[in-house]
Amino acid sequence: MQVRIDPTWQQLLQPEFDKPYFELLTSYVRSEYQSTTVFPPAGQIFRAFDICPVDKVKVVILGQDPYHEPKQANGLSFSVNQGVTFPPSLQNIYKEINDDLGHPSITQGDLTPWAEQGVLLLNATLTVRAHLAGSHQGKGWEVLTDAAIEQLAHRREHLVFMLWGSYAQQKAVYIPTTKHLILKAPHPSPLSAYRGFFGCKHFSKANQYLQKHSIVPIEW
């Protein structure tokens, strides 16, 4: 199956696109968009890949599924469109950046500038039905995104993987620790941020690692 996606990811993931599960997934997602409200907009499903080609990735931040309320999801994990109130997890991410790096208050929730610098903001599930968190889980997206993580981790080296919460940390099995830096912390949601996300200093640690390997750091 031919998928409209960045050419470098197209090459890497074509074996997945040709598998039966992906054809079933495509049929399911298409029918969902036709029959109900689904986020993000269809043209933004693969936006995380499109903004951040394989050879440009420096950091990977894994989310679970897109925001499920109107005008929030824009194809990047934890990111919202400009003008949208920051969800609690994003508020906590910004608080940690401020505590870690001393940055002043950030005024927008759109993380596109991070993606453009090489931060792959990838959700495990790339679509969701409106108002129903997790509604598209278990349909095949996770198989595709697991393959993306595994292929990226084996193709590249000296990447930083930020794995927040138990769900994201399950993906560590796909990442060779001899080639990459894996940073683990509780999820930044209000339910768990105070159990160790605050104070994890992942953003400074990521930049220190990148600089150690002569890679331009991220302007968080």
Side-chain angles (χ1 to χ4, degrees):
M1 179 177 293
Q2 195 72 17
V3 176
R4 291 182 181 178
I5 194 172
D6 168 80
T8 64
W9 285 106
Q10 175 86 48
Q11 183 179 7
L12 209 64
L13 295 176
Q14 190 60 51
E16 300 300 312
F17 298 151
D18 290 336
K19 292 179 179 177
Y21 86 85
F22 190 78
E23 186 173 353
L24 292 173
L25 169 64
T26 301
S27 296
Y28 171 77
V29 170
R30 187 179 293 117
S31 69
E32 284 284 280
Y33 273 97
Q34 291 171 348
S35 62
T36 187
T37 301
V38 177
F39 301 122
Q44 296 182 338
I45 292 175
F46 295 110
R47 187 163 177 254
F49 297 109
D50 291 335
I51 298 179
C52 202
V54 171
D55 57 339
K56 301 296 185 184
V57 178
K58 300 177 183 179
V59 178
V60 181
I61 299 180
L62 295 174
Q64 195 155 349
D65 61 356
Y67 296 122
H68 53 271
E69 296 302 328
K71 300 182 180 179
Q72 289 184 319
N74 62 13
L76 307 177
S77 63
F78 296 103
S79 176
V80 292
N81 289 310
Q82 285 192 352
V84 175
T85 301
F86 298 176
S89 292
L90 184 57
Q91 291 182 34
N92 289 337
I93 289 169
Y94 282 161
K95 181 181 185 304
E96 176 58 23
I97 290 174
N98 185 54
D99 292 345
D100 184 12
L101 301 174
H103 286 186
S105 297
I106 302 170
T107 58
Q108 63 152 357
D110 184 0
L111 302 182
T112 299
W114 291 5
E116 291 172 342
Q117 294 178 75
V119 182
L120 181 65
L121 294 158
L122 182 63
N123 281 314
T125 302
L126 299 186
T127 55
V128 67
R129 189 183 290 190
H131 317 302
L132 290 172
S135 50
H136 285 187
Q137 292 177 7
K139 305 297 184 181
W141 280 131
E142 298 92 337
V143 180
L144 177 69
T145 54
D146 283 356
I149 294 166
E150 185 171 20
Q151 290 296 324
L152 178 67
H154 283 84
R155 180 70 60 92
R156 296 285 312 283
E157 61 181 15
H158 305 319
L159 303 180
V160 180
F161 290 83
M162 296 184 182
L163 306 182
W164 299 334
S166 58
Y167 184 87
Q169 288 167 17
Q170 294 171 12
K171 312 301 183 183
V173 297
Y174 302 113
I175 306 164
T177 56
T178 55
K179 297 174 63 178
H180 307 289
L181 176 64
I182 300 176
L183 298 174
K184 296 181 180 180
H187 194 276
S189 76
L191 296 174
S192 55
Y194 286 94
R195 296 192 212 136
F197 178 79
F198 290 141
C200 69
K201 298 187 180 300
H202 279 188
F203 303 95
S204 61
K205 290 176 181 177
N207 278 354
Q208 288 165 7
Y209 178 83
L210 294 174
Q211 289 175 306
K212 176 183 175 182
H213 294 283
S214 301
I215 301 168
V216 176
I218 304 298
E219 293 184 17
W220 300 106

